[in-house]
Amino acid sequence: MSLRDLASKGLAGFDPKTDEIVSASGLPAGDYLTSVTAIEHRAFDSGWDCFGVSFQVMEGEHEGQTENVNISFAEKSKSGKAIPDFILDRNIKFAAKLGSFLGVDVTDEDFDFDNETDIHEHLGQKLHGHEGLLTTLKVTVRPNKKDPSNPYTSYDLEEAEQPEELELDDSDLPSNMNPNSDAPLPSENDDPFANSSQDNTIPDDQLPFD
């Protein structure tokens, strides 16, 4: 997208006299066909860490854009306040759903660790290596009254049809790559220099090195 296209999109409906400049940079609410591009344990300079998954949009207006979903299994906030059970339940089900789509069982045992960092690292290792899955990422955005520039975003997943894998056998290969092909193989008679009387030896004093 050119700078002019970006300006046209960003200024559409924007009132420079009253609207705030800062806005959320993630995907707007909607359903997106995406490819899972990264699954890992993420740690930040602030000291906060999480279980992270990256989704790249495969089609539509936002094709090529990456949405980073970072979820935590910490039971208390930095201030010591308990994280509501519904948030932890949602995060657990997100990990389990992702695992199911990837063909990996995520059970209650995967959350039986002493702290959230161990859980994040464990899930990152368990699901890593299964990138490439196509899935529908459902993005829900809700306003944040305390900080309008940072709305609440939640995610869900739906299965998506996977591309068919190409199955090739020897008959599908070009004749020169097919070991069972009847095509003739090169022989000494095919050597264009086989019957040449020319001496192609290069004298030592004409070599490009000592």
Side-chain angles (χ1 to χ4, degrees):
M1 180 181 294
S2 69
L3 186 60
R4 180 174 180 177
D5 291 337
L6 186 63
S8 177
K9 179 181 177 181
L11 295 177
F14 175 73
D15 186 340
K17 294 183 179 180
T18 59
D19 292 349
E20 294 185 0
I21 295 175
V22 179
S23 61
S25 59
L27 290 171
D31 296 352
Y32 302 90
L33 178 64
T34 64
S35 173
V36 178
T37 57
I39 305 173
E40 58 194 354
H41 169 220
R42 294 173 179 164
F44 299 87
D45 292 340
S46 63
W48 188 76
D49 73 292
C50 64
F51 169 63
V53 187
S54 295
F55 298 86
Q56 185 176 51
V57 180
M58 302 301 293
E59 61 185 17
E61 179 184 358
H62 297 275
E63 181 178 358
Q65 183 170 336
T66 295
E67 186 80 353
N68 292 307
V69 178
N70 297 320
I71 58 179
S72 172
F73 296 99
E75 297 182 61
K76 292 184 178 181
S77 66
K78 289 184 178 180
S79 63
K81 185 177 180 180
I83 301 297
D85 286 347
F86 80 89
I87 293 179
L88 294 171
D89 178 68
R90 183 178 63 197
N91 291 347
I92 289 170
K93 289 177 178 176
F94 182 92
K97 203 168 190 178
L98 176 65
S100 175
F101 293 171
L102 296 172
V104 179
D105 287 333
V106 175
T107 70
D108 57 340
E109 294 181 357
D110 293 305
F111 302 93
D112 187 20
F113 290 84
D114 293 334
N115 57 72
E116 68 273 12
T117 296
D118 289 345
I119 297 174
H120 301 155
E121 185 172 1
H122 167 73
L123 289 175
Q125 292 177 349
K126 183 170 185 175
L127 299 181
H128 181 73
H130 295 273
E131 294 84 355
L133 173 86
L134 292 183
T135 184
T136 298
L137 180 67
K138 302 172 71 68
V139 181
T140 302
V141 179
R142 296 183 295 107
N144 182 346
K145 294 181 179 179
K146 295 182 179 180
D147 184 4
S149 66
N150 187 28
Y152 298 112
T153 304
S154 59
Y155 303 94
D156 198 354
L157 300 172
E158 283 187 358
E159 284 190 285
E161 185 176 352
Q162 305 301 309
E164 294 184 4
E165 294 184 7
L166 294 177
E167 296 183 2
L168 300 177
D169 56 30
D170 290 343
S171 63
D172 296 312
L173 298 174
S175 59
N176 62 342
M177 296 178 61
N178 186 348
N180 299 317
S181 172
D182 294 329
L185 296 175
S187 66
E188 292 183 359
N189 295 329
D190 297 314
D191 184 356
F193 302 104
N195 299 318
S196 174
S197 60
Q198 181 179 353
D199 184 3
N200 295 311
T201 303
I202 302 175
D204 291 344
D205 59 359
Q206 295 183 21
L207 293 175
F209 48 84
D210 295 331

